[in-house]
């Protein structure tokens, strides 16, 4: 059983239970330490563009950014004692999430779930730069999200 401390900032209404469940499923999927801490913030387009420019030198809005505090190969279940293991931060742009939900024909909540899982997988070391890595990440997202509509 994984213990999770989640620090939310500006979470949209009625999403906390769903996103918490997806985070738990994702952490189990990636075999995370038994006690973890994660921060998830929801921002508008203006703030997301500023963050993307500052941290990635890309002057445009994006849907999700992840900032890991440690690399997954440094995770050690044995190193976790009475303090949670700090995984990192996930920043999600709610404006883009709404647009993408409409574009893909599914709910806003499902899009937030997808972006949360996507961000979590980045914290766990997944990426989508190479075709095989993209396929691994896509499969992990599908497995964690399940039948979420």
């Amino acid at each position: 059983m994984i213990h999770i401390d989640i620090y939310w900032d500006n979470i949209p209404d009625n999403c906390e239970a769903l996103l918490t469940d997806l985070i738990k499923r994702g952490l189990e999927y990636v075999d995370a330490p038994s006690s973890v801490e994660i921060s998830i913030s929801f921002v508008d387009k203006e703030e997301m563009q500023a963050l993307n420019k500052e941290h990635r030198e890309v002057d445009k809005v994006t849907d999700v950014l992840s900032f890991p505090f440690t690399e997954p190969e440094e995770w050690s279940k044995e190193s976790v004692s009475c303090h949670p293991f700090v995984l990192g931060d996930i920043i999600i742009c709610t404006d883009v999430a709404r647009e993408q939900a409409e574009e893909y024909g599914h709910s806003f909540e499902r899009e937030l779930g997808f972006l949360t899982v996507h961000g979590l997988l980045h914290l766990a070391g997944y990426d989508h730069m190479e075709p095989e890595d993209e396929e691994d990440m896509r499969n992990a997202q599908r497995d964690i999200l399940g039948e979420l509509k």
Side-chain angles (χ1 to χ4, degrees):
M1 180 97 175
I2 295 179
H3 170 80
I4 310 166
D5 289 326
I6 305 172
Y7 297 94
W8 304 103
D9 185 32
N10 296 322
I11 185 168
D13 292 339
N14 303 315
C15 292
E16 187 172 345
L18 169 67
L19 299 182
T20 298
D21 180 58
L22 289 172
I23 291 166
K24 286 179 183 175
R25 289 165 48 184
L27 290 170
E28 289 170 0
Y29 186 91
V30 300
D31 199 28
S34 60
S35 182
V36 299
E37 180 180 301
I38 189 168
S39 172
I40 305 177
S41 299
F42 299 86
V43 301
D44 62 16
K45 282 184 175 182
E46 183 179 351
E47 187 170 353
M48 183 59 99
Q49 183 168 348
L51 289 167
N52 203 18
K53 182 177 181 181
E54 176 183 348
H55 295 283
R56 295 181 58 230
E57 298 180 1
V58 177
D59 191 14
K60 67 178 192 173
V61 71
T62 190
D63 52 5
V64 62
L65 291 171
S66 296
F67 300 100
F69 285 3
T70 55
E71 295 300 318
E73 52 272 1
E74 296 174 29
W75 295 0
S76 170
K77 292 182 179 197
E78 291 76 36
S79 71
V80 178
S81 59
C82 61
H83 300 290
F85 196 87
V86 181
L87 298 184
D89 297 331
I90 299 171
I91 314 292
I92 296 172
C93 183
T94 51
D95 297 332
V96 173
R98 285 188 199 288
E99 292 170 0
Q100 290 177 171
E102 188 173 316
E103 177 182 339
Y104 300 135
H106 55 241
S107 71
F108 173 63
E109 292 78 10
R110 192 258 182 231
E111 186 65 19
L112 288 180
F114 172 83
L115 295 174
T116 299
V117 168
H118 188 87
L120 179 65
L121 289 171
H122 278 305
L123 293 181
Y126 284 74
D127 69 43
H128 41 82
M129 301 306 287
E130 301 296 326
E132 71 261 6
D133 295 334
E134 183 176 15
E135 183 177 346
D136 288 345
M137 190 165 189
R138 189 177 303 124
N139 290 337
Q141 288 168 161
R142 185 187 62 242
D143 290 347
I144 296 165
L145 287 167
E147 298 300 315
L148 184 61
K149 301 280 184 213

